[in-house]
Structures are given as structure tokens and as C-alpha cells.
Amino acid sequence: FVEDENTKTIVLFLEGIRRPEAFMAAAAKALTARKPIIAIKSGRTAQSREAALSHTGAIAGDFAAYEAMCERYGIVSCRNLDDMVETALAFQAGRLPKGRRIGFVTTSGGTVDLLWDYAESERSAFPAFDKGTVATLKPMMQDGILPSNPLDAGIPTGMQNAAKMCEAVLNDPNVDMVAWASQLPGRKAKWDDVTPIRRLLDVTDKPFVGFGRMYYQVTQEDLNAQESIGIPFLQGLEPTLRALNALAFYSERVGRKVRTIPRAKKSDLTPETLEKAMAAYGITLPRSGIAKNA
């Protein structure tokens, strides 16, 4: 897949990695080639590892070692299949942030409250808006609303105003990527004019996504609408945060050449040197002696 010119993102479901050295070599190649690997691996618990062994014969391996490998090779490790879908969609846009800071444009105080609740557990960064951004946004707000991040803009006022708010946040020097609270129009509704939002892709290189608070059915008409507006629409608040964090995680590592891990030196431990070696690490063995006969 790294060598396939038609593959832009590699998505994996893993039970076990039978040849870790070969896998790591491929992952390093993908990182250098700027092809993200998005993966979910079973085997976080002992019961899951035993189940994998019983139905596929896969040796799941130590999960902490797997996560360390992901950290080293820039592999985005998803916690569930829903996250994998949303994360793959975020990467499909082809934009990477220069940092982890997220700017939000919403029309709901409840959404803002929930985002703050989830920010700590997801380790998401919501920077304060720059003074210039606050000044630009203030005339667009309802009376009594002071612009802050995440932004509660009040009652929705159409695509044009939403685009102006998103543009102000995209231009903020404290913000690396922007998420706009909106969802696809559905089968019966239609967007009149998507030009105001689509135009923003020409004035910034920052990642820009739409997001909904809950999961909803996506129809073919919705997919067509998403294509026309030019940005991905993610579902669920926590999956959206994790997908944006994944963009930042990968951006911090992409393109770098990973130093090869040296092979372990051959151990010089013998029964005769074991006790001395253990003592050097502060480990005391039971008193013992060698029995020369029965």
C-alpha cells in the first residue's frame, strides 16, 4: 500500500503482528512517504488476546509495546471502529495542522459545555482567541455574547454568516485547525449555496471540518453535498476531538526518518554470573548452593 500510488491513507484492523520487524520497516516507509496509517488493534485485555488465539491463532502480543510502536512510527491508534471512520474521514481532506490548538464555531452553549467536559480526558487544546479575532467576531454575535473559544454564536443565521465566523477563527494566529458545528443537510433539505464555506479552503491551509454532536444516517445526497462543500463532516463530539488530535499527532511525526532500533547485544548472563548481575540492579536472590549429587 505504501508503494501503491492510488493509496493515500492506510487503514488497518489488527489482531496480532507476527513479523514485527517487517511491520515496523513498512511503517517507517509509510511515515517517510507521508501516507498515514490509521489502526485499531484488539488485545488490550488478556481475555481479548485469548479470544484472538482461539479463533485465528493470532498472537496478540503486549499492548503497551504496540502503543509504543505506534508512538514511534506515527501510527494513529484508534480506540474503536467509530473513531476509525471519523479519523479516516478527517485525514481524507489531506490537510495537516502546524500544532494541536483547535478553534470551534458552534451555535449551542450545550455543545460548548460538553466540549470543555471532554477536553480534559482527550487532552485537547482550546486556545483563547486573539484580540483581533474577538474584535472581528463581536459584531456578528447576539447581544450579550462575548466571543470565546469554543464559540457559541447563538441562533444560526445561514451559510454566509457561518463562513464569516469560521474565516475569523481560521485567521486566528492562536488556532491550528477549525471545527464548525454543522451536519449534512439530509434527504429532504438542501443547501442553497455552499460557495461561502468552500471559498475558505482557498484562503487557508489549516484543517477545517464540520461536526455534529451525534451520529446520524448519511445518504447518497449527503455524500454529494459533502463533496460539493469540500470539507469532511464528522459525527460525535468525542470522536471529532480524537480525529483532530490524530491529525496533530501525525503532523508532529510525518516525513521524518525513524532511526533503526539496534539489535540487542547477546546476553553474557550465565548461571555463574546471574547472582552478581542481579545484585548490580539491587535484586537479592534467595540464598542458594549447588548440589553436586542427589
Side-chain angles (χ1 to χ4, degrees), residues 2 14 54 152 159 170 221 236 266-267 278 281 283 292:
V2 176
L14 303 168
S54 68
D152 171 13
M159 193 80 74
L170 282 164
E221 290 89 344
K266 188 176 180 181
S267 174
M278 297 287 267
Y281 286 96
I283 300 171
K292 296 182 178 179

Side-chain angles (χ1 to χ4, degrees), residues 198-219:
R198 191 173 183 93
R199 182 188 67 83
L200 298 181
L201 299 175
D202 297 326
V203 299
T204 182
D205 61 354
K206 295 178 181 179
F208 177 36
V209 304
F211 73 98
R213 288 181 292 186
M214 300 173 69
Y215 293 103
Y216 56 93
Q217 184 181 19
V218 177
T219 65

Side-chain angles (χ1 to χ4, degrees), residues 20-44:
E21 288 186 359
F23 183 89
M24 286 187 283
K29 195 172 183 178
L31 192 62
T32 302
R34 307 181 75 87
K35 292 194 178 186
I37 298 176
I38 300 168
I40 183 170
K41 185 181 180 300
S42 60
R44 190 181 292 270

